[in-house]
């Protein structure tokens, strides 16, 4: 029986998706959403054990998933990751660069060289390395989609997350640049900028009631987001439903960045 047209818009059947930072939080939610849409999944994080555990969980849920551990702070592991996924699946149709770190909190002047190197390498340079490795393959096969996980920390100033915000602002610009460079080859590249999402990564914020009270008072929806609410947008951007969207940085923050505090 033919699927309804609307369902076809979000169908990823026959597609291969590589998701980094895929073993928890937003990355895992995106993997599940893509699997539910029919995609075959390449699950990556720096922990081989975590990758295998998640692939086992996804297999029990009926999804095809393989584990590809890689430390994205090491440039030599990125071409290995890209090559291993292509060798295993024969292609990559959707790339989600979700891996990220925030080793430094505080004013920019207090960030060490090591903080700068780790933040920029994992959050920004690894995305550039992966897109350099995989987008040309997407172009050869007729097209593809890339989702870069940015942050609202990259669209405004921050007292505590300035270095992290710089790296995420860079991701949004990378999406714009790659969209221009590869649009003629039918490769779409977009960024998502989440606000506070209920994940392990966000616990330094969400576990502090005094901080969250102030943050939620500035958020029109008066709550934090869920990983599934980011995954839904990531599915749109990887599917035919998002086929005319490219070069965008889409903010998903419950209105935090547009609120007036009332």
């Amino acid at each position: 029986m033919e699927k309804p047209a609307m369902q076809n818009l979000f169908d990823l059947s026959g597609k291969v998706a590589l998701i980094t930072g895929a073993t928890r939080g937003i990355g895992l939610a995106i993997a599940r959403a893509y699997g539910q849409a029919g995609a075959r999944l390449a699950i990556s994080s720096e922990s081989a054990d975590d990758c295998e555990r998640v692939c086992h969980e996804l297999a029990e849920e009926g999804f095809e998933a393989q584990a590809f551990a890689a430390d994205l702070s090491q440039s030599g592991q990125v071409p290995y990751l890209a090559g291993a996924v292509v060798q295993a699946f024969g292609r990559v149709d959707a790339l989600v660069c979700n891996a990220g770190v925030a080793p430094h909190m505080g004013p920019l002047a207090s960030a060490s060289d090591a903080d700068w190197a780790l933040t920029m390498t994992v959050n920004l340079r690894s995305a550039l390395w992966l897109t350099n490795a995989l987008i040309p393959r997407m172009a050869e096969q007729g097209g593809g989609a890339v989702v870069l996980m940015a942050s609202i920390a990259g669209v405004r100033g921050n007292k505590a997350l300035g270095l992290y915000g710089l790296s995420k602002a860079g991701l949004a610009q990378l999406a714009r640049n790659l969209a221009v460079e590869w649009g003629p080859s039918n490769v779409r590249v977009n960024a998502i900028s989440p606000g506070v999402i209920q994940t392990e990564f966000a616990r330094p914020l969400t576990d502090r009631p005094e901080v969250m009270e102030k943050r939620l008072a500035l958020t029109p929806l008066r709550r934090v987001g869920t990983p599934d609410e980011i995954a839904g947008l990531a599915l749109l951007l990887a599917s035919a439903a998002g086929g005319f969207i490219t070069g965008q940085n889409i903010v998903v923050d419950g209105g935090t960045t547009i609120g007036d505090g009332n």
Side-chain angles (χ1 to χ4, degrees):
M1 181 181 296
E2 186 175 346
K3 296 178 181 178
M6 186 58 69
Q7 187 172 346
N8 282 339
L9 284 174
F10 295 91
D11 187 14
L12 297 181
S13 297
K15 305 293 187 181
V16 175
L18 167 58
I19 303 105
T20 68
T23 59
R24 61 180 184 171
I26 291 172
L28 180 54
I30 292 173
R32 279 201 170 93
Y34 283 12
Q36 290 165 358
R40 295 180 290 165
L41 305 172
I43 301 298
S44 184
S45 82
E46 65 179 347
S47 168
D49 289 344
D50 285 347
C51 288
E52 292 292 348
R53 171 183 54 79
V54 166
C55 284
H56 180 72
E57 292 175 3
L58 293 172
E60 289 187 333
E61 296 170 25
F63 308 134
E64 181 180 347
Q66 292 189 39
F68 299 88
D71 181 354
L72 297 184
S73 70
Q74 304 299 315
S75 62
Q77 294 195 30
V78 174
Y80 160 78
L81 171 61
V85 174
V86 171
Q87 183 175 12
F89 290 103
R91 61 190 292 126
V92 173
D93 301 281
L95 168 64
V96 180
C97 294
N98 174 69
V101 296
H104 175 262
M105 297 282 286
L108 283 171
S110 66
S112 68
D113 287 347
D115 291 331
W116 277 86
L118 180 60
T119 302
M120 292 299 177
T121 299
V122 174
N123 293 3
L124 181 56
R125 295 188 71 193
S126 73
L128 179 61
W129 293 333
L130 268 175
T131 51
N132 283 347
L134 290 173
I135 287 181
R137 294 179 181 271
M138 292 179 178
E140 290 174 4
Q141 69 197 25
V146 177
V147 177
L148 307 178
M149 198 58 59
S151 169
I152 62 169
V155 300
R156 62 183 189 177
N158 301 273
K159 291 181 179 179
L161 286 170
L163 181 55
Y164 177 79
L166 278 172
S167 69
K168 294 300 187 175
L171 278 178
Q173 180 60 28
L174 180 60
R176 287 185 284 266
N177 247 84
L178 293 177
V180 170
E181 293 176 14
W182 291 99
S185 298
N186 194 36
V187 178
R188 298 180 294 103
V189 186
N190 291 285
I192 299 175
S193 283
V196 179
I197 307 299
Q198 192 67 59
T199 63
E200 187 71 22
F201 187 80
R203 286 191 63 182
L205 284 176
T206 57
D207 283 354
R208 298 170 62 189
E210 71 283 1
V211 173
M212 290 310 300
E213 182 180 1
K214 180 179 178 181
R215 169 58 69 91
L216 295 182
L218 297 172
T219 300
L221 290 184
R222 297 296 193 266
R223 65 175 178 86
V224 300
T226 69
D228 285 343
E229 289 170 325
I230 306 301
L233 176 56
L235 176 58
L236 167 75
L237 294 175
S239 66
F244 203 49
I245 304 172
T246 196
Q248 303 304 303
N249 178 30
I250 303 175
V251 174
V252 187
D253 68 348
T256 299
T257 52
I258 59 89
D260 63 359
N262 295 317

